[in-house]
Amino acid sequence: MEAMRAVQILNPSGEVTMPRPERTRVMCVANQKGGVGKTTTTVNLAVALALHGNRVLVVDLDPQGNASTGLNVPHHTGVPDVYDCLIDSVPLAEVAQEVEGIPNLWCVPATIDLAGAEIELVSVVARESRLNRAIDAYPGHFDYVFIDCPPSLGLLTVNALVAAQEVLIPIQCEYYALEGLNQLINNINLVRQHLNPKLEVSTILLTMYDRRTRLADAVEQDVRNHFGDKVLQAVIPRNVRVSEAPSYGQSVMTYDPGSRGATSYFEAAQEIAERGAKEPVSRNA
């Protein structure tokens, strides 16, 4: 069974098995709480969609550069990165790198230089829409653009929210995760009112789910009651393989494709792809 799952997830034939959206879906993966699985979710969903025939771009907008690490993309000092796009208006196409071993997947890395971008952007004209303009000017066509946000609600996250049409919120199945959610929703509403009327919370993904605890079950019920259909049916369990994969510069999809973690992210990606096929979004490719 595990071998069959691995073959299904790796899709060695390269066929398009997940439906491609009619237009580019720009998804911002955001939650100001740290450690809820933003980067892990970004990397694994991007790899799953790319392995199944979608063209995907990952924009690493976190100065820690963890998404770049997870995709094994160089992001040491001196590598052209998303900082150059935001501050010096370097085209995104000059900075994006192909991800080794995964067809159809590109990554715009983040270096430590990005840590200073919050301060440097303060005096820049139209500072909230720098990333939006960079993505719009990209010459190629992508089916998905995933923006991995830092764990804060600063200018970098605002740039991501202005550039996106959809917000994907990973929620850890613990009580503290629900506490900060109100603030995030308020900020998303502010950005929608003043900067990006197309923005909506389209997807909620429950992560680090431990079936042995009542708390995880209670949090799941709360989130499903509050957000309804926006919550994916696929739930990401606590799985050691998911945690191990980045230390090998891989996603769990390629590190251990037969594991529960890989299967869960595969199911989540499939659900996102199917929802996108049913509801075409408004931005032109």
Side-chain angles (χ1 to χ4, degrees):
M1 286 295 289
E2 199 168 309
M4 278 172 62
R5 284 206 305 269
V7 170
Q8 184 189 17
I9 286 168
L10 289 173
N11 191 28
S13 66
E15 289 176 41
V16 180
T17 57
M18 289 186 188
R20 297 175 66 180
E22 289 184 15
R23 295 183 176 85
T24 305
R25 292 178 72 186
V26 184
M27 302 185 80
C28 158
V29 184
N31 192 331
Q32 82 274 22
K33 187 179 185 306
V36 298
K38 286 187 295 296
T39 300
T40 305
T41 295
T42 304
V43 166
N44 287 304
L45 290 179
V47 170
L49 287 160
L51 285 173
H52 290 264
N54 285 265
R55 288 172 59 84
V56 185
L57 175 69
V58 173
V59 179
D60 190 353
L61 209 58
D62 186 345
Q64 296 174 85
N66 293 146
S68 309
T69 303
L71 293 170
N72 200 24
V73 169
H75 60 103
H76 50 80
T77 307
V79 171
D81 73 328
V82 71
Y83 170 88
D84 300 315
C85 302
L86 294 175
I87 305 298
D88 300 327
S89 301
V90 173
L92 217 54
E94 291 181 19
V95 176
Q97 301 183 34
E98 284 191 57
V99 176
E100 193 182 339
I102 312 285
N104 304 318
L105 183 58
W106 287 260
C107 175
V108 176
T111 68
I112 196 64
D113 293 346
L114 194 58
E118 293 262 1
I119 298 161
E120 291 177 56
L121 278 170
V122 169
S123 58
V124 173
V125 176
R127 61 194 179 190
E128 298 93 353
S129 55
R130 303 286 286 186
L131 182 62
N132 184 36
R133 277 187 285 173
I135 291 172
D136 278 346
Y138 200 97
H141 168 72
F142 291 106
D143 297 305
Y144 291 87
V145 177
F146 285 100
I147 307 170
D148 183 31
C149 293
S152 71
L153 294 173
L155 261 175
L156 290 174
T157 301
V158 170
N159 257 276
L161 292 171
V162 172
Q165 312 127 5
E166 303 179 48
V167 185
L168 188 161
I169 306 177
I171 298 178
Q172 187 180 0
C173 290
E174 293 188 3
Y175 175 71
Y176 283 144
L178 297 176
E179 262 196 330
L181 206 54
N182 261 348
Q183 186 60 50
L184 177 63
I185 299 295
N186 289 343
N187 276 44
I188 290 168
N189 288 336
L190 282 171
V191 170
R192 186 192 295 124
Q193 285 167 26
H194 300 288
L195 298 164
N196 181 7
K198 294 178 182 173
L199 187 67
E200 61 161 331
V201 177
S202 67
T203 313
I204 308 283
L205 178 64
L206 294 162
T207 62
M208 303 182 198
Y209 186 85
D210 189 342
R211 293 189 187 283
R212 297 169 300 177
T213 64
R214 284 186 186 174
L215 177 62
D217 193 47
V219 170
E220 181 182 10
Q221 291 311 313
D222 277 357
V223 172
R224 289 195 188 280
N225 290 340
H226 191 271
F227 289 102
D229 290 345
K230 292 180 179 180
V231 187
L232 295 180
Q233 291 304 309
V235 173
I236 311 303
R238 283 194 181 277
N239 183 249
V240 72
R241 293 305 204 199
V242 173
S243 309
E244 283 174 3
S247 62
Y248 293 89
Q250 293 186 52
S251 67
V252 74
M253 296 292 160
T254 51
Y255 175 64
D256 188 354
S259 65
R260 283 196 314 135
T263 306
S264 303
Y265 271 116
F266 169 74
E267 287 168 359
Q270 202 160 27
E271 224 176 309
I272 287 169
E274 282 164 7
R275 288 182 179 198
K278 285 176 198 160
E279 302 168 25
V281 286
S282 55
R283 172 186 290 227
N284 290 324

